[in-house]
Amino acid sequence: VWCLSEWKDWINNKDLGPIAFQFGTRPLVTQESPISIAWKHKLLTLKPGDVKLNKFSPTGFYSSAVENDFLKELYARSDRQVYFSTIKTDDCPLSLPFGQRGREVFVSVADMDKIQQWEKEGFSHMMKTPSHTLIFVDREKYDDILKDQRDCMGCLSHCVFSNFAQNESGSTGQIPDPRSFCIQKTLQDIGHHGDIDHNLMFAGHNAYRFASDPFYKNGFIPTVHQLFDHLVKNI
């Protein structure tokens, strides 16, 4: 929700009355907010549709973030994905050597055409996913993913990306998922260095309303006190 008037009867049941909400997006654009000034300025310029709901998070849950180069690369990574079989079948008759040992996996005829095209474009490194698929990335991204997985700090109790889990085995029981990312690394980077193009930039879906709200005219960034004073006076 954006303002107090939107809180009442939010789930269309007047018998329940007002409901409390986590208030996350609007306080990002305050002077006290710890995010970078570049992040704040970006939020003030968003248009409807600029915030995407995605399931790349290593938590395994959906999350919303601003569509930037970081998010576009994750979409492209998953788009370069094919199913594989460990045995030759009618659906997957073509052999494909995987890894340094060249172990055989099998893919469909149509997918082999895609793979050959991706290899021509430089995406020649294959990585297995827990979904029994292969993704194709270039050498630089391949090395980055493996390094980030090795450098896992255990910041999540259950991490899809590295397969770390806070249990007796120390594992999720699945192989690491290269379609995801190290959340600790990207949040540290965007928080301290302010690169808003190549890092995950969280934002609620209502963030596009900053640009049309006259309260933020000419790029105004309020203090927390000014924001809440405005909310109370403009129900």
Side-chain angles (χ1 to χ4, degrees):
V1 293
W2 192 252
C3 55
L4 292 177
S5 62
E6 297 177 2
W7 291 17
K8 189 176 181 181
D9 304 324
W10 178 250
I11 61 173
N12 198 28
N13 187 334
K14 294 183 178 181
D15 291 336
L16 293 179
I19 301 172
F21 290 88
Q22 180 180 2
F23 197 45
T25 298
R26 289 193 75 170
L28 286 175
V29 184
T30 57
Q31 293 182 26
E32 293 90 340
S33 171
I35 68 174
S36 70
I37 191 65
W39 192 341
K40 295 175 187 179
H41 285 164
K42 180 66 176 179
L43 291 174
L44 291 173
T45 65
L46 296 179
K47 302 183 294 296
D50 283 348
V51 177
K52 303 293 185 181
L53 185 67
N54 62 82
K55 203 177 181 181
F56 298 122
S57 173
T59 62
F61 297 106
Y62 281 92
S63 64
S64 59
V66 176
E67 186 176 41
N68 56 8
D69 289 343
F70 180 86
L71 210 57
K72 289 176 182 176
E73 192 280 325
L74 286 168
Y75 280 118
R77 198 187 304 175
S78 283
D79 286 342
R80 294 189 301 273
Q81 182 172 197
V82 299
Y83 172 81
F84 74 92
S85 173
T86 55
I87 60 173
K88 186 175 182 179
T89 66
D90 291 340
D91 291 331
C92 296
L94 300 184
S95 173
L96 184 70
F98 177 83
Q100 293 182 347
R101 297 183 181 181
R103 292 179 175 174
E104 277 190 322
V105 295
F106 298 87
V107 298
S108 71
V109 175
D111 284 340
M112 182 63 83
D113 290 338
K114 296 177 185 177
I115 292 168
Q116 291 173 345
Q117 181 58 41
W118 293 333
E119 289 179 338
K120 289 178 182 178
E121 295 170 0
F123 303 108
S124 56
H125 285 68
M126 293 177 280
M127 306 188 82
K128 289 182 179 179
T129 80
S131 304
H132 223 269
T133 60
L134 299 170
I135 67 165
F136 291 77
V137 296
D138 61 23
R139 179 56 187 264
E140 182 179 6
K141 181 57 62 177
Y142 178 83
D143 289 342
D144 285 345
I145 291 171
L146 291 182
K147 182 179 186 305
D148 290 345
Q149 289 173 338
R150 288 194 301 266
D151 291 346
C152 175
M153 299 175 64
C155 67
L156 298 176
S157 61
H158 185 100
C159 181
V160 171
F161 176 67
S162 69
N163 94 336
F164 169 82
Q166 193 175 351
N167 55 30
E168 291 184 0
S169 68
S171 170
T172 62
Q174 298 284 337
I175 64 172
D177 195 335
R179 296 168 296 187
S180 187
F181 57 88
C182 176
I183 196 167
Q184 188 270 349
K185 175 185 174 182
T186 188
L187 293 184
Q188 286 283 343
D189 197 44
I190 194 171
H192 292 287
H193 304 293
D195 183 348
I196 62 172
D197 294 318
H198 302 97
N199 283 297
L200 183 72
M201 185 164 63
F202 281 127
H205 281 268
N206 264 339
Y208 72 90
R209 296 174 69 174
F210 282 116
S212 59
D213 191 325
F215 182 60
Y216 300 96
K217 186 177 180 180
N218 298 321
F220 173 63
I221 297 178
T223 64
V224 171
H225 185 277
Q226 287 173 318
L227 171 61
F228 278 85
D229 186 57
H230 171 75
L231 289 169
V232 170
K233 291 180 179 178
N234 296 273
I235 295 177

